[in-house]
Amino acid sequence: MIKNTWAEPYKIKMVEPVFMSTESHRKKAIEEAGFNTFLLKSEDVYIDLLTDSGTSAMSDRQWAGLMLGDEAYAGSRNFYSLEETINKYYGYKYVVPTHQGRGAEHIISQILISEGDVIPGNMYFTTTRLHQQLAGGKFVDVIIDEAHDPENIFPFKGNIDLEKLEDLIKEVGAERIPYVAIATTVNMAGGQPLSLANLKAVRELTDKYGIKIIHDMTRVAENAFMIQQIEEGYADKSVAEIVLEICSLTDGATMSAKKDAMVNIGGFLAVNDYDIFDQARNMVVVYEGLHTYGGLAGRDLEAMAIGISESVRDEHMHARIGQVYYLGKKLEKKGIPIVLPIGTHGVFLDAKKFLPHIPQDRFPAQTLAAELYTESGIRAMERGVVSAGRNKETGEHNYPDLELLRLTIPRRVYTQAHMDVIVEAVCNVFERRESIKGLKMTYEPKYLRFFQARFEQVKHTIPEVSLKQDALLEV
Ligand code: F0G
């Protein structure tokens, strides 16, 4: 699908040395971090695949843009440059900058959601769902069933199930649904795109009921590239054209510019409705900063504007996703269980299949993250039961079908040789998988627990539930 030959459309001007640690150093480091890769010090990491968020390499133009920072409190020229860029590449009319994606999620959730509302979406994202809940809403997953099956190779696993969506509208009433939340691409499903045909159908359905669509456009250019590659009728369109078309089918968007737009910090809320914009512009002053800087420096706004224009270039996307596919294909060939199709921002290991002897309440993906780090100094991120949190009503863990370890690839940072090292390290852990035991959680924060939870290694791979019944077993 993705053409075999590709190379980076840039050359390297500056390098950042990384720490080549020993295994004994890493064992100590992961223990001190409570077996949570979020709690490792970055200087103890060799290849950092925790996230593609804020970790990409900026271009020389973006760095030059920092020097053009107009640090006026109000009306910075960089804001107008960002606004113009968003109008041009995304087509949204009104822009409110925020410090990052969740700042925009907070504002739109508070404006549009009332107590008891229901927000359907193509799978949850951690911060997005939490802001919907904090505003009094309830998220309902209406993604197609294929998305929950890591082995199903349907090419658009980010699609909305139209029947599920319409049934929900009929069940709760259109007036209880402030908007449908659409993410491009779907992070928790393994970086899966949605198709334009599906989005058009969702638009038609929501129009019928007078419901808005709010677009989490964090990785929209990656989604657009996949549409160009595999959706019928789009092969001759540019990524930029497809991005514009996606945005035109929605009413507004939240953006974490730390991904597609390749800045270290930044985001925005963009809408077409003046009244919503007016409320957002007022609210941002309370939580982020004045409406022309939204918690960012002028220089950050400029780097974001430049990053947006770079993110929609075909050759950039080809190399970006080409690299992720290179890694994914190699792992697949070695028989490593990964989510298929390969995602756009990373390769997701299927921890349930990788460590089938570890029950889900012993956190297989979290365990795998700790093992991969100890093996190689490579840091990855759990996207399974720890990330899914607890059921608000029962207090039990949410047990998602997908128990994944995400090897997230920052943009323009690592080389093909790094990808080969990653493959080797994953294979080494796979070879000794049967000797690996699970973890038990020893500290659990109230919100977004995956960031700060702590764990201990267990001696037996027995589900926690059975252990509760048999307190005599030593863990
Ligand atoms: N939406 C999606 C789809 C995301 O992936 C993220 C962040 C956000 C919203 C929130 O944006 O971090 O700027 O506040 N994802 C990061 C990740 C954290 O590692 O996947 P933010």
Side-chain angles (χ1 to χ4, degrees), residues 51-53 100-102 105 125 127-128 187 216 218-219 256 258-259 381 383 406:
T51 176
D52 62 331
S53 181
Q100 58 184 82
R102 69 198 71 179
E105 290 169 354
F125 184 71
T127 57
T128 323
N187 191 353
D216 178 345
T218 295
R219 297 180 183 86
S256 169
K258 300 168 74 173
K259 284 81 165 175
M381 188 196 287
R383 296 274 80 156
R406 188 180 73 174

Side-chain angles (χ1 to χ4, degrees), residues 436-449:
I436 296 172
K437 312 265 186 328
L439 295 169
K440 98 177 186 187
M441 202 186 288
T442 53
Y443 167 69
E444 180 175 355
K446 188 169 166 202
Y447 297 117
L448 304 174
R449 62 184 185 173

Side-chain angles (χ1 to χ4, degrees), residues 49-241:
L49 308 182
L50 186 70
T51 176
D52 62 331
S53 181
T55 54
S56 295
M58 293 209 295
S59 66
D60 54 357
R61 282 157 188 78
Q62 284 178 292
W63 280 102
L66 296 184
M67 296 306 293
L68 301 176
D70 168 9
E71 306 306 343
Y73 189 90
S76 155
R77 70 169 168 260
N78 311 116
F79 167 74
Y80 298 104
S81 142
L82 175 68
E83 191 183 48
E84 203 178 293
T85 304
I86 291 170
N87 296 157
K88 176 173 169 191
Y89 290 101
Y90 300 145
Y92 296 116
K93 270 195 212 153
Y94 306 113
V95 177
V96 177
T98 56
H99 76 284
Q100 58 184 82
R102 69 198 71 179
E105 290 169 354
H106 170 219
I107 291 172
I108 197 72
S109 302
Q110 292 293 332
I111 292 174
L112 293 181
I113 300 172
S114 309
E115 192 63 41
D117 277 354
V118 171
I119 304 94
N122 54 349
M123 206 174 265
Y124 82 102
F125 184 71
T126 51
T127 57
T128 323
R129 183 178 65 183
L130 181 58
H131 279 299
Q132 290 163 354
Q133 290 169 345
L134 291 171
K138 182 178 160 215
F139 173 80
V140 176
D141 189 5
V142 292
I143 202 164
I144 54 171
D145 288 340
E146 287 87 336
H148 294 282
D149 175 1
E151 282 169 73
N152 191 309
I153 56 161
F154 185 68
F156 289 108
K157 279 161 96 174
N159 280 357
I160 293 263
D161 185 324
L162 295 161
E163 219 177 286
K164 279 190 205 167
L165 177 58
E166 188 153 25
D167 286 352
L168 183 73
I169 298 172
K170 284 183 182 151
E171 185 195 323
V172 303
E175 66 289 350
R176 285 262 62 110
I177 300 183
Y179 60 90
V180 174
I182 297 276
T184 52
T185 57
V186 181
N187 191 353
M188 301 302 276
Q192 304 295 327
L194 104 168
S195 72
L196 258 166
N198 184 254
L199 183 55
K200 282 179 191 165
V202 174
R203 179 75 279 176
E204 219 173 276
L205 185 65
T206 48
D207 277 348
K208 185 169 125 190
Y209 291 97
I211 298 172
K212 294 185 183 57
I213 298 178
I214 298 295
H215 175 202
D216 178 345
M217 62 179 302
T218 295
R219 297 180 183 86
V220 66
E222 293 183 4
N223 198 126
F225 179 77
M226 295 312 291
I227 288 173
Q228 183 196 59
Q229 297 293 307
I230 54 184
E231 187 163 358
E232 225 187 296
Y234 287 93
D236 296 330
K237 296 228 166 166
S238 67
V239 169
E241 286 169 327

